[in-house]
Amino acid sequence: MRILLVHNPKAGSEEHEGEDFIKALKRAGHKATYQSSKKKGIMKALKKKIDLVLVAGGDGTVSKVARRLVAMDSEIPLAVLPMGTANNFARSLGFCLSEKELIEQLNHGKCNTFDVGQARGPWGKRYFFEGAGAGLFADYMRAPKRDGKKDEPKSKAEAMRRHVKELRRRLQTYRARQWEIEVEGSDLSGRYLLWHAMNIRSVGPVLTLAADAKTNDGSFDFVGAREEDRALLLDYFDARVAGKRRKFPLRPKRLTKMRLRWTKWPLHFDDELWPAEDGKPPQQCEIELIVKNAALRIWRIE
């Protein structure tokens, strides 16, 4: 196959990893070209004659490439070499093999569709793939991290545990905020500790909020925790910190369209904040989220 490798050179730990991937792809019989995710030219590279886009990076890099494919209305499928910390996007798509195994099995993949979220608001239009949300997690993304000067975690699992522990600490005193929310014509407005519109099962530090979410069913899952759900959330975080498996205690609601109206508070789309960390939230805002069925192609490795 003609493969475009889009690589985040800051992800992973090995030097010259991009070159290693290109060599491995060529050994597997593919015609491979390289594009750094940190340099200009991604859109131009995607317009060339290629059969597959292989993204080597974390969730942010995958989303960056996927947005361009959707904007182009492209039918070129995307595959992932997960190199981030959480890798929620890659894991939800089934990309769990080692780098060597995945490259060796690319010829045996199949093209599947993937639903995409579209948000319309003051910025115009933007796409998202994992989910959108607000409240505890979005505020945590914006806030300075308490443990920034501690020793580096020894593993990805330890890094995730630290994030969950800090979220749990913040939840104890976190103030629920008022959101006007309409899902499929139903008024779900109220004071929320957090809410998320989920395309994949997990958000942030592998918090599985929608265990039954599917990425090709034409709908997202809305999960919301109100003030009266605080104790349930604390128990869930306690279980996660202890390394126990615990199903998220709140039942999701399916959605294809969602309207929001709120004041000041930030949102997140995938792993990006809106407004950006150095931006100022609008005094009042209204947006619409819709699900675009099968807007992205994924090369799944069986």
Side-chain angles (χ1 to χ4, degrees), residues 206-277:
V206 199
L207 298 175
T208 305
L209 306 187
D212 298 322
K214 294 180 173 59
T215 58
N216 60 354
D217 61 356
S219 65
F220 284 8
D221 285 4
F222 174 80
V223 180
R226 301 174 187 250
E227 175 60 48
E228 56 266 31
D229 301 316
R230 188 186 300 270
L232 292 175
L233 279 184
L234 287 169
D235 286 345
Y236 175 73
F237 284 138
D238 284 340
R240 284 297 317 280
V241 171
K244 299 177 181 178
R245 288 192 175 187
R246 178 73 59 85
K247 187 172 183 178
F248 192 69
L250 302 174
R251 180 177 294 181
K253 179 181 178 64
R254 291 293 176 89
L255 71 92
T256 58
K257 181 183 291 186
M258 177 177 176
R259 291 182 181 275
L260 300 165
R261 186 181 295 110
W262 77 101
T263 302
K264 293 184 180 180
W265 320 121
L267 298 177
H268 77 85
F269 295 97
D270 297 337
D271 64 351
E272 295 182 1
L273 281 171
W274 183 84
E277 292 186 52

Side-chain angles (χ1 to χ4, degrees), residues 133-143 166-179 190-196 224-231 233-234 237 262-268 273:
L136 178 68
F137 181 62
D139 287 348
Y140 177 61
M141 291 172 67
R142 179 180 289 273
E166 179 62 13
L167 283 166
R168 198 263 183 221
R169 185 190 71 82
R170 291 169 184 258
L171 176 60
Q172 294 179 85
T173 56
Y174 187 80
R175 295 179 62 183
R177 293 168 175 169
Q178 182 66 31
W179 291 83
R191 295 183 63 80
Y192 283 87
L193 296 166
L194 61 81
W195 64 261
H196 292 274
R226 301 174 187 250
E227 175 60 48
E228 56 266 31
D229 301 316
R230 188 186 300 270
L233 279 184
L234 287 169
F237 284 138
W262 77 101
T263 302
K264 293 184 180 180
W265 320 121
L267 298 177
H268 77 85
L273 281 171

Side-chain angles (χ1 to χ4, degrees), residues 75-87:
E75 294 188 358
I76 301 169
L78 177 148
V80 183
L81 286 171
M83 296 171 58
T85 303
N87 294 315

Side-chain angles (χ1 to χ4, degrees), residues 105-146:
Q105 295 188 35
L106 281 176
N107 278 327
H108 305 294
K110 293 182 179 179
C111 187
N112 293 151
T113 59
F114 186 90
D115 299 331
V116 174
Q118 177 181 288
R120 288 185 179 274
W123 57 78
K125 177 176 68 176
R126 68 172 295 161
Y127 299 111
F128 60 97
F129 305 91
E130 302 170 51
L136 178 68
F137 181 62
D139 287 348
Y140 177 61
M141 291 172 67
R142 179 180 289 273
K145 302 301 182 287
R146 189 187 186 202

